[in-house]
Amino acid sequence: MKIIVQKFGGTSVASPELREEAVRRVREAREKGYRPVVVVSAMGRRGDPYATDTLKDMVSQACECREQSLRDTDLIMACGEIISSVVMASMLCAAGIPSLALTGGQAGLITDGNYGEAQVVEFHPERLLAHLRNNEVAVVAGFQGVTHDGEINTLGRGGSDTTAVILGAGLGAEKVEIYTDVNGIMTADPRLVKGARIIDHLTYNEVCQLAYEGAKVIHPRAVEVAMQHNVCVIVKHLSAPEAGTVISSEAAAAGEARFSPWEARRVITGIAHTTGIVQFMVEMDAHDAETELAMFDNLAEARISIDLISIFPERKIFTVKQDALLPTEAVLKKMGLTFKVQTDCAKVSVVGLGMRNLPGVMARVVHALNQKKIRILQTGDSNITISLLIREEDLANAICTLHDHFRLSSPPSEDERVLA
Ligand code: ADP
Ligand code: MG
């Protein structure tokens, strides 16, 4: 049985016309001999009647009790995908394709009970395999699962991507197609960079970094699962299925003849960004290791996730998301620490396999931004990523500057090749 998982995102199922287009993608897959499993997101965006945010807004602040509210918020948010799955299944049936809708739980996805940000801990494929053997198309509600106790959990923003990849891995699918409103993964967010270009092929590692650093075109957890199970994922536009970005391992990329041999080894492949970041600078006695440790412990205990951490003897610098501003201030004040806060920051991250062990990339980045008088507040790096904290007002300028500097609008030329 040749299995394919086809995931249709919120904008791809937002109107009857788009859903018809999605039905065509399912039909085409069947005509090519695949047995499809479909995963859908909630229809549309905030303001549309059954979109995730619309449903969430209906109950926000209605309940004082936090635990109860998180649980019930998950319950209402999960409805968006369920509605979408029933609508899609009925359209497939109407088009002569035997089909039925399933919730995440009915499709065999067991979650860990962490409301709003749940992880899938088990997948039981038996029911989906039975439908596949009967030649029925199961339309699975994305973004959700159920605990062993029967509680419904959602998987966090973009969680339907993760649903699709987990199903693909567990069912042994040949590939997972992610249909969205852009033609693939691009060198930067096309909403900010006019010259952003589609990247034909990316490795799991690069997409993972781009996704973690804010390229919301695919959920980072989905890429992680794909990498662990070596699932081939293709991101494409609902209405332009011939193009798209293939995500696979480095080995597969190297062996894939249709990609130029240096495409995967360019210095920078893409730029991602995150907004709404706050920088904290905490002053401390240089010899006070105890307070330093206590501060990080207390932040962790308050479940505050910190990033871009720079530790100097008398100063500890880190960033948090905007919504963690007040809780972080509370922790530091309670400890009697002296600190400065810089709000309205953004993080720009340049990612590329080609920068591994290549000296001088940071110098080029700093030089390019300095020329445009963009102030760098802090930096961080890993082997294939350089991240820069800047003022949010400089964001568009910074991304466009780096995009131009590394000539990402055009395909890499031979002289830009990074020798392995
Ligand atoms: P879906 O509802 O299909 O899951 P999303 O809104 O989650 O779609 O993701 C698609 C959006 O991701 C695009 O509209 C685009 O603005 C944004 N995006 C951010 N970074 C990138 C990138 N590097 N390449 C493509 N799209 C990106
Ligand atoms: Mg998405």
Side-chain angles (χ1 to χ4, degrees), residues 7-12 41 44-45 158 161 178-191 210 214-218 271-273:
K7 179 252 169 178
F8 298 98
T11 47
S12 303
S41 297
R45 294 278 180 262
D161 298 333
I178 308 270
Y179 286 97
T180 183
D181 63 349
V182 280
N183 285 345
I185 300 181
M186 308 181 80
T187 48
D189 188 341
R191 282 171 217 242
L210 285 168
K216 70 172 188 130
V217 61
I218 188 164
I271 304 174
H273 69 275

mmCIF file of all heavy atoms in Angstrom, residues 7-12 41 44-45 158 161 178-191 210 214-218 271-273, ligand 1:
data_model
loop_
_atom_site.group_PDB
_atom_site.id
_atom_site.type_symbol
_atom_site.label_atom_id
_atom_site.label_comp_id
_atom_site.label_asym_id
_atom_site.label_seq_id
_atom_site.Cartn_x
_atom_site.Cartn_y
_atom_site.Cartn_z
ATOM 1 N N LYS A 7 -1.756 17.360 4.154
ATOM 2 C CA LYS A 7 -2.255 18.291 5.174
ATOM 3 C C LYS A 7 -2.654 19.607 4.525
ATOM 4 O O LYS A 7 -1.884 20.177 3.740
ATOM 5 C CB LYS A 7 -1.173 18.513 6.245
ATOM 6 C CG LYS A 7 -1.593 19.491 7.333
ATOM 7 C CD LYS A 7 -0.887 20.812 7.236
ATOM 8 C CE LYS A 7 -1.463 21.877 8.127
ATOM 9 N NZ LYS A 7 -0.730 23.141 8.051
ATOM 10 N N PHE A 8 -3.851 20.060 4.832
ATOM 11 C CA PHE A 8 -4.328 21.328 4.285
ATOM 12 C C PHE A 8 -4.457 22.339 5.425
ATOM 13 O O PHE A 8 -5.213 22.121 6.382
ATOM 14 C CB PHE A 8 -5.669 21.121 3.574
ATOM 15 C CG PHE A 8 -5.554 20.170 2.406
ATOM 16 C CD1 PHE A 8 -5.912 18.831 2.543
ATOM 17 C CD2 PHE A 8 -5.038 20.599 1.192
ATOM 18 C CE1 PHE A 8 -5.770 17.944 1.479
ATOM 19 C CE2 PHE A 8 -4.896 19.721 0.121
ATOM 20 C CZ PHE A 8 -5.254 18.387 0.263
ATOM 21 N N GLY A 9 -3.708 23.429 5.320
ATOM 22 C CA GLY A 9 -3.672 24.451 6.376
ATOM 23 C C GLY A 9 -4.930 25.314 6.377
ATOM 24 O O GLY A 9 -5.781 25.203 5.484
ATOM 25 N N GLY A 10 -5.010 26.192 7.365
ATOM 26 C CA GLY A 10 -6.202 27.010 7.573
ATOM 27 C C GLY A 10 -6.631 27.814 6.363
ATOM 28 O O GLY A 10 -7.817 27.862 6.018
ATOM 29 N N THR A 11 -5.652 28.426 5.671
ATOM 30 C CA THR A 11 -6.042 29.240 4.516
ATOM 31 C C THR A 11 -6.400 28.348 3.325
ATOM 32 O O THR A 11 -7.096 28.785 2.419
ATOM 33 C CB THR A 11 -4.907 30.205 4.103
ATOM 34 O OG1 THR A 11 -3.688 29.479 4.062
ATOM 35 C CG2 THR A 11 -4.770 31.363 5.069
ATOM 36 N N SER A 12 -5.954 27.104 3.337
ATOM 37 C CA SER A 12 -6.229 26.201 2.208
ATOM 38 C C SER A 12 -7.611 25.552 2.294
ATOM 39 O O SER A 12 -8.041 24.894 1.355
ATOM 40 C CB SER A 12 -5.163 25.101 2.132
ATOM 41 O OG SER A 12 -3.886 25.667 2.032
ATOM 42 N N SER A 41 -6.567 21.708 9.101
ATOM 43 C CA SER A 41 -6.581 22.723 10.162
ATOM 44 C C SER A 41 -7.978 23.331 10.198
ATOM 45 O O SER A 41 -8.805 23.066 9.320
ATOM 46 C CB SER A 41 -5.588 23.837 9.846
ATOM 47 O OG SER A 41 -4.290 23.332 9.801
ATOM 48 N N GLY A 44 -9.797 28.983 7.973
ATOM 49 C CA GLY A 44 -9.572 30.434 7.960
ATOM 50 C C GLY A 44 -8.775 30.960 9.132
ATOM 51 O O GLY A 44 -8.070 30.242 9.829
ATOM 52 N N ARG A 45 -8.892 32.278 9.319
ATOM 53 C CA ARG A 45 -8.127 33.004 10.326
ATOM 54 C C ARG A 45 -9.072 33.751 11.257
ATOM 55 O O ARG A 45 -10.271 33.834 10.971
ATOM 56 C CB ARG A 45 -7.211 34.034 9.627
ATOM 57 C CG ARG A 45 -6.131 33.414 8.776
ATOM 58 C CD ARG A 45 -4.941 33.003 9.632
ATOM 59 N NE ARG A 45 -3.880 32.410 8.841
ATOM 60 C CZ ARG A 45 -3.670 31.093 8.697
ATOM 61 N NH1 ARG A 45 -4.474 30.223 9.262
ATOM 62 N NH2 ARG A 45 -2.661 30.641 7.981
ATOM 63 N N GLY A 158 0.270 25.811 14.901
ATOM 64 C CA GLY A 158 0.917 25.080 13.812
ATOM 65 C C GLY A 158 0.918 23.566 14.043
ATOM 66 O O GLY A 158 1.555 22.816 13.308
ATOM 67 N N ASP A 161 0.617 20.529 11.442
ATOM 68 C CA ASP A 161 1.798 20.038 10.706
ATOM 69 C C ASP A 161 2.355 18.814 11.432
ATOM 70 O O ASP A 161 2.731 17.818 10.818
ATOM 71 C CB ASP A 161 2.911 21.111 10.654
ATOM 72 C CG ASP A 161 2.485 22.365 9.918
ATOM 73 O OD1 ASP A 161 1.603 22.269 9.042
ATOM 74 O OD2 ASP A 161 3.046 23.447 10.212
ATOM 75 N N ILE A 178 2.450 19.166 2.728
ATOM 76 C CA ILE A 178 1.877 20.251 3.541
ATOM 77 C C ILE A 178 1.420 21.331 2.567
ATOM 78 O O ILE A 178 2.249 22.002 1.950
ATOM 79 C CB ILE A 178 2.941 20.853 4.497
ATOM 80 C CG1 ILE A 178 3.641 19.776 5.320
ATOM 81 C CG2 ILE A 178 2.365 21.996 5.342
ATOM 82 C CD1 ILE A 178 3.028 19.427 6.633
ATOM 83 N N TYR A 179 0.115 21.478 2.410
ATOM 84 C CA TYR A 179 -0.412 22.505 1.501
ATOM 85 C C TYR A 179 -0.687 23.792 2.280
ATOM 86 O O TYR A 179 -1.316 23.757 3.336
ATOM 87 C CB TYR A 179 -1.705 22.015 0.836
ATOM 88 C CG TYR A 179 -1.431 20.986 -0.225
ATOM 89 C CD1 TYR A 179 -1.535 19.626 0.058
ATOM 90 C CD2 TYR A 179 -1.028 21.375 -1.495
ATOM 91 C CE1 TYR A 179 -1.259 18.677 -0.916
ATOM 92 C CE2 TYR A 179 -0.751 20.433 -2.471
ATOM 93 C CZ TYR A 179 -0.865 19.091 -2.186
ATOM 94 O OH TYR A 179 -0.587 18.166 -3.142
ATOM 95 N N THR A 180 -0.189 24.912 1.733
ATOM 96 C CA THR A 180 -0.346 26.174 2.446
ATOM 97 C C THR A 180 -0.586 27.318 1.465
ATOM 98 O O THR A 180 -0.947 27.060 0.301
ATOM 99 C CB THR A 180 0.882 26.407 3.370
ATOM 100 O OG1 THR A 180 0.685 27.598 4.112
ATOM 101 C CG2 THR A 180 2.188 26.478 2.601
ATOM 102 N N ASP A 181 -0.389 28.571 1.900
ATOM 103 C CA ASP A 181 -0.698 29.715 1.032
ATOM 104 C C ASP A 181 0.549 30.350 0.423
ATOM 105 O O ASP A 181 0.499 31.453 -0.081
ATOM 106 C CB ASP A 181 -1.525 30.766 1.804
ATOM 107 C CG ASP A 181 -0.756 31.366 2.977
ATOM 108 O OD1 ASP A 181 0.318 30.822 3.321
ATOM 109 O OD2 ASP A 181 -1.230 32.357 3.552
ATOM 110 N N VAL A 182 1.698 29.664 0.534
ATOM 111 C CA VAL A 182 2.916 30.120 -0.159
ATOM 112 C C VAL A 182 3.462 28.940 -0.953
ATOM 113 O O VAL A 182 3.129 27.792 -0.671
ATOM 114 C CB VAL A 182 4.005 30.640 0.820
ATOM 115 C CG1 VAL A 182 3.728 32.046 1.268
ATOM 116 C CG2 VAL A 182 4.161 29.714 2.015
ATOM 117 N N ASN A 183 4.339 29.242 -1.924
ATOM 118 C CA ASN A 183 4.793 28.196 -2.840
ATOM 119 C C ASN A 183 5.860 27.262 -2.273
ATOM 120 O O ASN A 183 6.453 26.488 -2.996
ATOM 121 C CB ASN A 183 5.340 28.828 -4.121
ATOM 122 C CG ASN A 183 4.206 29.322 -5.002
ATOM 123 O OD1 ASN A 183 3.050 28.946 -4.783
ATOM 124 N ND2 ASN A 183 4.515 30.147 -5.968
ATOM 125 N N GLY A 184 6.126 27.389 -0.994
ATOM 126 C CA GLY A 184 7.146 26.537 -0.392
ATOM 127 C C GLY A 184 7.835 27.320 0.698
ATOM 128 O O GLY A 184 7.384 28.413 1.078
ATOM 129 N N ILE A 185 8.935 26.769 1.200
ATOM 130 C CA ILE A 185 9.702 27.505 2.206
ATOM 131 C C ILE A 185 10.591 28.478 1.449
ATOM 132 O O ILE A 185 11.272 28.111 0.490
ATOM 133 C CB ILE A 185 10.521 26.540 3.084
ATOM 134 C CG1 ILE A 185 9.550 25.586 3.793
ATOM 135 C CG2 ILE A 185 11.381 27.322 4.072
ATOM 136 C CD1 ILE A 185 10.190 24.604 4.713
ATOM 137 N N MET A 186 10.557 29.710 1.867
ATOM 138 C CA MET A 186 11.253 30.754 1.114
ATOM 139 C C MET A 186 12.450 31.274 1.903
ATOM 140 O O MET A 186 12.583 31.006 3.097
ATOM 141 C CB MET A 186 10.270 31.869 0.768
ATOM 142 C CG MET A 186 9.040 31.283 0.086
ATOM 143 S SD MET A 186 7.835 32.480 -0.394
ATOM 144 C CE MET A 186 8.533 33.085 -1.882
ATOM 145 N N THR A 187 13.288 32.022 1.211
ATOM 146 C CA THR A 187 14.526 32.522 1.823
ATOM 147 C C THR A 187 14.250 33.488 2.984
ATOM 148 O O THR A 187 15.124 33.725 3.807
ATOM 149 C CB THR A 187 15.395 33.216 0.760
ATOM 150 O OG1 THR A 187 14.545 34.104 0.022
ATOM 151 C CG2 THR A 187 16.022 32.206 -0.187
ATOM 152 N N ALA A 188 13.037 34.039 3.037
ATOM 153 C CA ALA A 188 12.593 34.868 4.175
ATOM 154 C C ALA A 188 11.077 34.954 4.077
ATOM 155 O O ALA A 188 10.496 34.524 3.068
ATOM 156 C CB ALA A 188 13.214 36.269 4.108
ATOM 157 N N ASP A 189 10.437 35.502 5.103
ATOM 158 C CA ASP A 189 8.982 35.633 5.054
ATOM 159 C C ASP A 189 8.599 36.562 3.901
ATOM 160 O O ASP A 189 8.974 37.742 3.909
ATOM 161 C CB ASP A 189 8.476 36.198 6.392
ATOM 162 C CG ASP A 189 6.946 36.175 6.476
ATOM 163 O OD1 ASP A 189 6.282 36.073 5.427
ATOM 164 O OD2 ASP A 189 6.429 36.270 7.601
ATOM 165 N N PRO A 190 7.854 36.050 2.906
ATOM 166 C CA PRO A 190 7.519 36.897 1.751
ATOM 167 C C PRO A 190 6.696 38.123 2.112
ATOM 168 O O PRO A 190 6.629 39.075 1.343
ATOM 169 C CB PRO A 190 6.727 35.948 0.838
ATOM 170 C CG PRO A 190 6.262 34.843 1.724
ATOM 171 C CD PRO A 190 7.275 34.715 2.813
ATOM 172 N N ARG A 191 6.095 38.121 3.306
ATOM 173 C CA ARG A 191 5.349 39.316 3.725
ATOM 174 C C ARG A 191 6.286 40.483 4.024
ATOM 175 O O ARG A 191 5.892 41.631 3.970
ATOM 176 C CB ARG A 191 4.534 39.020 4.986
ATOM 177 C CG ARG A 191 3.279 38.238 4.676
ATOM 178 C CD ARG A 191 2.636 37.775 5.952
ATOM 179 N NE ARG A 191 2.071 36.441 5.740
ATOM 180 C CZ ARG A 191 0.793 36.139 5.832
ATOM 181 N NH1 ARG A 191 -0.068 37.055 6.157
ATOM 182 N NH2 ARG A 191 0.367 34.925 5.604
ATOM 183 N N LEU A 210 15.149 27.176 11.046
ATOM 184 C CA LEU A 210 14.309 28.267 10.538
ATOM 185 C C LEU A 210 12.984 28.303 11.297
ATOM 186 O O LEU A 210 12.503 29.367 11.705
ATOM 187 C CB LEU A 210 14.047 28.102 9.037
ATOM 188 C CG LEU A 210 15.217 28.436 8.105
ATOM 189 C CD1 LEU A 210 14.934 27.964 6.677
ATOM 190 C CD2 LEU A 210 15.486 29.950 8.086
ATOM 191 N N GLY A 214 11.377 31.175 14.029
ATOM 192 C CA GLY A 214 10.203 31.975 13.730
ATOM 193 C C GLY A 214 9.590 31.853 12.348
ATOM 194 O O GLY A 214 8.560 32.469 12.096
ATOM 195 N N ALA A 215 10.201 31.082 11.433
ATOM 196 C CA ALA A 215 9.590 30.919 10.099
ATOM 197 C C ALA A 215 8.362 30.045 10.262
ATOM 198 O O ALA A 215 8.459 28.833 10.312
ATOM 199 C CB ALA A 215 10.576 30.276 9.135
ATOM 200 N N LYS A 216 7.197 30.665 10.384
ATOM 201 C CA LYS A 216 6.039 29.897 10.846
ATOM 202 C C LYS A 216 5.394 29.037 9.753
ATOM 203 O O LYS A 216 4.344 28.453 9.967
ATOM 204 C CB LYS A 216 5.016 30.823 11.492
ATOM 205 C CG LYS A 216 4.313 31.725 10.515
ATOM 206 C CD LYS A 216 3.181 32.459 11.205
ATOM 207 C CE LYS A 216 2.394 33.183 10.162
ATOM 208 N NZ LYS A 216 0.992 33.005 10.184
ATOM 209 N N VAL A 217 6.054 28.938 8.612
ATOM 210 C CA VAL A 217 5.489 28.149 7.520
ATOM 211 C C VAL A 217 5.366 26.669 7.885
ATOM 212 O O VAL A 217 4.497 25.963 7.385
ATOM 213 C CB VAL A 217 6.301 28.378 6.211
ATOM 214 C CG1 VAL A 217 7.741 27.965 6.358
ATOM 215 C CG2 VAL A 217 5.652 27.689 5.034
ATOM 216 N N ILE A 218 6.189 26.196 8.802
ATOM 217 C CA ILE A 218 6.037 24.817 9.291
ATOM 218 C C ILE A 218 6.391 24.775 10.782
ATOM 219 O O ILE A 218 7.248 25.516 11.252
ATOM 220 C CB ILE A 218 6.876 23.821 8.463
ATOM 221 C CG1 ILE A 218 6.554 22.377 8.872
ATOM 222 C CG2 ILE A 218 8.363 24.096 8.553
ATOM 223 C CD1 ILE A 218 7.028 21.326 7.885
ATOM 224 N N ILE A 271 16.454 33.262 6.152
ATOM 225 C CA ILE A 271 16.438 34.181 7.292
ATOM 226 C C ILE A 271 15.070 34.077 7.966
ATOM 227 O O ILE A 271 14.043 34.144 7.292
ATOM 228 C CB ILE A 271 16.660 35.636 6.825
ATOM 229 C CG1 ILE A 271 17.968 35.742 6.025
ATOM 230 C CG2 ILE A 271 16.671 36.593 8.014
ATOM 231 C CD1 ILE A 271 18.197 37.106 5.403
ATOM 232 N N ALA A 272 15.080 33.891 9.278
ATOM 233 C CA ALA A 272 13.813 33.830 10.012
ATOM 234 C C ALA A 272 13.795 34.961 11.044
ATOM 235 O O ALA A 272 14.847 35.525 11.357
ATOM 236 C CB ALA A 272 13.677 32.486 10.706
ATOM 237 N N HIS A 273 12.625 35.262 11.541
ATOM 238 C CA HIS A 273 12.574 36.324 12.551
ATOM 239 C C HIS A 273 11.470 36.072 13.570
ATOM 240 O O HIS A 273 10.512 35.346 13.293
ATOM 241 C CB HIS A 273 12.333 37.689 11.875
ATOM 242 C CG HIS A 273 10.966 37.809 11.292
ATOM 243 N ND1 HIS A 273 10.649 37.343 10.042
ATOM 244 C CD2 HIS A 273 9.811 38.322 11.802
ATOM 245 C CE1 HIS A 273 9.376 37.566 9.799
ATOM 246 N NE2 HIS A 273 8.843 38.162 10.836
HETATM 247 P P1 ADP B 1 -1.101 27.303 7.225
HETATM 248 O O1 ADP B 1 -2.381 27.865 7.715
HETATM 249 O O2 ADP B 1 -1.210 26.714 5.855
HETATM 250 O O3 ADP B 1 -0.457 26.353 8.193
HETATM 251 P P2 ADP B 1 0.768 29.389 8.056
HETATM 252 O O4 ADP B 1 0.188 30.748 8.154
HETATM 253 O O5 ADP B 1 0.982 28.613 9.315
HETATM 254 O O6 ADP B 1 -0.112 28.534 7.019
HETATM 255 O O7 ADP B 1 2.168 29.449 7.285
HETATM 256 C C1 ADP B 1 2.274 30.098 6.038
HETATM 257 C C2 ADP B 1 2.813 31.509 6.229
HETATM 258 O O8 ADP B 1 4.139 31.440 6.764
HETATM 259 C C3 ADP B 1 2.990 32.285 4.952
HETATM 260 O O9 ADP B 1 1.816 32.960 4.596
HETATM 261 C C4 ADP B 1 4.158 33.234 5.254
HETATM 262 O O10 ADP B 1 3.752 34.560 5.509
HETATM 263 C C5 ADP B 1 4.752 32.699 6.532
HETATM 264 N N1 ADP B 1 6.202 32.512 6.456
HETATM 265 C C6 ADP B 1 7.100 32.938 7.383
HETATM 266 N N2 ADP B 1 8.346 32.639 7.018
HETATM 267 C C7 ADP B 1 8.267 32.000 5.825
HETATM 268 C C8 ADP B 1 9.233 31.431 4.947
HETATM 269 N N3 ADP B 1 10.534 31.452 5.212
HETATM 270 N N4 ADP B 1 8.790 30.841 3.820
HETATM 271 C C9 ADP B 1 7.470 30.807 3.540
HETATM 272 N N5 ADP B 1 6.514 31.335 4.325
HETATM 273 C C10 ADP B 1 6.893 31.919 5.461
#
